Each structure stands twice: as C-alpha cells, then as structure tokens.
C-alpha cells in the first residue's frame, strides 16, 4: 500500500490548486462552449496542508511519533466541461491523486458524459485520458492538466465528426433533389470555406525539430499566415481560409503530443479579399475599406517561428498591433473559445 511523502503530497496540492485556477469559471459560469467548473475538495486540501505543516515542525517544537502524512487520504476533484460538449451535454473528468503520487502511483482519471453519450463515446474519452496520464512519467508534474486537455481534444474531435456526418447526410439529400439545391449547397460550401478563419492552438510543449518543421511546412503549403511559439508552453496561431485552417489542425492532431487543445476557433463573415491590400497584416486594416461584407486577414501572410524565450511577449505585441488582444487572453487564461462574427 502506497503512502504519502511530503514532496508528493505538496505536488498533489499544487496540481489541484492549479486546476481550480485554470478551469474554474465560478458559481455563475454560463453553460456555453467555454464554461468549466472544478469541484474544490477544500476539506481534503486543508487536511493535506495541515499535515504538511505538522511534518515539518519549527525548530524547538516537540515532534510526534505519529506520521501526520499517513492520515491524508487520496485527494479527489472533478473538472466539469459544461455546455453542449458531447451529444448536447456536459462532460466530467474525475481526478484522483492517490497516496504515493506521483513517484509510485499515477493519477486516476475517470470520464463521465451525459445520458445521451454512448459507451463508445466514453471508451474513446477514457482512453484519451489514460494515454495522457501514461505519457507523463512517474515523478513528473502535469498529468492532471494533460488528462483534462486530452479529453477536451477528444470531445472536440467527436463533435467535428458528428458535424461531418450531418453535413454529408445533408449533401446526399441535396444531391437527390432534382431542383437547384445542389448547386446552391456547393456555392454555400465554397463561400464558407473561403472565409477568414483563425485557429489558436495550445500545446504542453513544442520541442521536437520534426514537429516544428511540419508546422511551418504545412502552414506554407496551405497558405496560412501566423506564428508558432515553441518551448513550454507551445502556441500556434494560424490565419487563412477556413478549410485550410481545419486541414492544418487535423494534420497536427495526427502527431503525438503530450497535450494539445484548440483554444480559439473563429472566423469572420465574408470572403477573403484578393490583392496585396487584403493579404497584409496589421491592426488598422481590419475594419476599413474594401467591399461591404468582406473581411481581411489581420496577421501577416507568412508563418513565422518565434523565440522560445520571450516568444509570448512577441506574440502579444503582434496581436495588439492586429487588434486581436483577446486571443492572447485565451492563451494566458487557457480557455477554449469559439467565435464567429465580424471584424470586431
């Protein structure tokens, strides 16, 4: 039977506190796509911190022969991804930090869905969480965030698959109609694909040279502009046609990552403008000139790698110049958001 040691218990407490800071939207959280909540095991955390204090009494204080760490049970909390996450309902990730964590015992991560979630859905999400936990070595921190982000990505994949099936069914129905609905549907699909889209993707880290080469090569191939900030954490921001941006994200997901999440998926109404003026980056160009109903790229059309050290500051400055400061907030607050609208 494993037992707590002071270092492991302190790390578990830190991870629970970090989960609350990262994901908890508070009691008044809306049930939108970005809403999350964390069950704060305050009683257990208070017990754990008291035991840690007792394990290291101040000089001159009498020490007890009873190990205060032995009285601390497993720490447990649940991160709830609210809103219409999976088949129209929320997803919960129950996390257990057992005695012996993280040196000899791994994090426990159990996923539950709403009543409409199938056994296959849950098996996929649980496998994603288990794989993320296994990817973090014994003795290393960060398995809780990795597990939650892996589930988040798996839920997003499931939702996109469902959207594709629904779109395919609609396409088959339109193709079977003898009227002009099929050409109209094709025109609508082409218009949607040509909208300006942005995808901001967060990674636990981007270190492997091969992945960094792929990120740059695929962006160039798909005519996407933006930035990659390697290191810890890793951040990729791309801008271009919606179909190209979605293809880029799909390719990245096929690679092996410790944790990856699409933090922002947004697009602007209207088609991308042609010509030099419509291709350039810069904050002042977002709202002025051009045809009514059209949107412009706000970031440079090239894709550039930033420095590991200081890269986030450089990214923040570029976003301020482009009038996209809210994207930097999504990086720092580590929230997933989906937005569709004008160039506001």
């Amino acid at each position: 039977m494993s037992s707590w040691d002071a270092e492991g218990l302190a790390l578990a407490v830190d991870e629970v506190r970090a989960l609350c800071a990262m994901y908890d939207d508070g009691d008044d959280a809306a049930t939108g796509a970005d809403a999350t909540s964390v069950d704060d095991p305050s009683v257990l955390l208070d017990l754990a911190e008291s035991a840690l204090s007792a394990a290291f009494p101040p000089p001159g204080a009498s020490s007890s022969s009873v190990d205060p760490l032995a009285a601390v049970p497993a720490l447990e909390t649940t991160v709830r991804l609210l809103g219409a996450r999976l088949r129209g309902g929320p997803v919960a990730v129950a996390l257990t930090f057992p005695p012996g964590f993280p040196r000899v015992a791994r994090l426990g991560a159990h996923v539950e869905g709403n009543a409409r979630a199938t056994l296959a859905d849950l098996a996929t999400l649980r496998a994603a969480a288990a794989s993320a936990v296994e990817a973090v070595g014994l003795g290393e921190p960060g398995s809780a965030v990795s597990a939650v982000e892996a589930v988040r990505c798996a839920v997003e994949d499931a939702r996109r698959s469902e959207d594709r099936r629904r779109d395919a069914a609609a396409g088959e129905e339109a193709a079977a109609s003898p009227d002009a609905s099929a050409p109209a549907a094709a025109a609508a699909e082409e218009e949607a694909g040509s909208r300006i889209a942005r995808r901001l993707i967060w990674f636990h880290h981007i270190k492997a040279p091969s992945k960094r080469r792929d990120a740059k090569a695929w962006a160039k191939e798909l005519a996407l502009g933006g930035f990659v900030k390697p290191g810890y954490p890793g951040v990729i921001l791309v801008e271009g046609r919606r179909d190209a941006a979605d293809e880029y994200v799909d390719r990245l997901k096929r690679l092996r990552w410790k944790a990856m999440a699409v933090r922002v998926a947004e697009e602007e109404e209207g088609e991308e403008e042609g010509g030099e003026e419509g291709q350039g980056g810069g904050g002042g160009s977002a709202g002025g000139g051009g045809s009514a109903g059209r949107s412009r790229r706000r970031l440079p059309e090239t894709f550039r790698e930033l420095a590991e050290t200081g890269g986030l500051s450089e990214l923040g400055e570029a976003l301020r110049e482009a009038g996209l400061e809210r994207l930097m907030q999504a990086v720092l607050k580590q929230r997933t958001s989906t937005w569709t609208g004008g160039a506001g």
Side-chain angles (χ1 to χ4, degrees):
M1 179 71 176
S2 299
S3 60
W4 284 113
D5 64 79
E7 184 178 351
L9 182 56
L11 182 57
V13 169
D14 287 345
E15 290 217 24
V16 175
R17 296 292 192 201
L19 286 169
C20 294
M22 181 179 298
Y23 295 113
D24 200 356
D25 288 331
D27 295 335
D28 58 347
T31 55
D34 189 36
T36 57
S37 69
V38 181
D39 297 345
D40 182 4
S42 56
V43 175
L44 277 178
L45 288 174
D46 290 344
L47 172 62
E49 291 175 336
S50 296
L52 286 171
S53 298
F56 300 98
S62 59
S63 59
S64 171
S65 59
V66 178
D67 180 9
L69 301 178
V72 182
L75 301 184
E76 298 179 347
T77 190
T78 299
V79 179
R80 304 183 188 278
L81 310 181
L82 306 175
R85 298 282 185 171
L86 179 66
R87 298 190 185 275
V91 173
V93 187
L95 304 169
T96 302
F97 301 82
F101 172 89
R103 290 183 177 176
V104 297
R106 292 187 183 277
L107 173 84
H110 184 71
V111 184
E112 291 293 343
N114 63 89
R116 289 186 292 275
T118 67
L119 292 177
D121 291 333
L122 295 178
T124 298
L125 300 186
R126 290 168 183 169
S131 177
V133 171
E134 288 291 326
V136 180
L138 285 173
E140 295 183 10
S143 55
V145 171
S146 293
V148 174
E149 290 303 327
V151 172
R152 205 189 272 275
C153 287
V155 169
E156 182 62 24
D157 286 343
R159 179 161 30 176
R160 291 183 64 182
S161 295
E162 183 65 26
D163 289 344
R164 290 191 190 100
R165 287 192 293 269
R166 184 167 55 250
D167 292 345
E172 291 174 0
E173 181 179 351
S177 301
D179 56 20
S181 59
E189 182 178 352
E190 171 63 22
E191 188 276 333
S194 65
R195 290 174 182 167
I196 296 265
R198 298 183 193 93
R199 301 292 184 263
L200 191 150
I201 313 155
W202 175 93
F203 302 84
H204 180 272
H205 65 266
I206 303 176
K207 297 291 286 186
S210 60
K211 292 179 179 177
R212 292 161 71 164
R213 286 194 299 269
D214 286 341
K216 290 184 283 188
W218 291 339
K220 182 177 180 180
E221 175 190 344
L222 296 168
L224 296 171
F227 307 93
V228 54
K229 185 276 181 189
Y232 296 84
V235 179
I236 290 179
L237 172 63
V238 292
E239 179 185 70
R241 286 174 55 101
R242 188 181 74 174
D243 50 359
D246 288 340
E247 171 64 20
Y248 186 79
V249 172
D250 284 342
R251 293 186 187 184
L252 288 176
K253 286 183 176 180
R254 297 186 194 117
L255 303 178
R256 184 177 179 86
W257 302 97
K258 186 171 183 179
M260 167 186 171
V262 178
R263 298 294 188 193
V264 175
E266 68 178 32
E267 58 192 69
E268 297 187 359
E269 300 293 347
E271 295 182 356
E272 176 179 356
E273 289 187 341
E276 182 178 350
E277 183 183 9
Q279 293 294 321
S285 65
S291 302
R294 289 180 176 266
S295 58
R296 296 182 180 180
R297 291 175 71 151
R298 300 210 225 172
L299 300 177
E301 62 179 314
T302 57
F303 184 82
R304 184 161 63 91
E305 181 173 299
L306 306 176
E308 289 192 34
T309 302
L312 284 181
S313 297
E314 192 175 355
L315 177 61
E317 181 61 28
L319 291 176
R320 280 191 293 273
E321 292 179 358
L324 297 169
E325 296 94 334
R326 56 189 164 73
L327 301 190
M328 196 63 193
Q329 294 173 359
V331 174
L332 298 178
K333 293 182 179 180
Q334 300 198 1
R335 290 282 191 264
T336 302
S337 64
T338 302
W339 174 88
T340 302

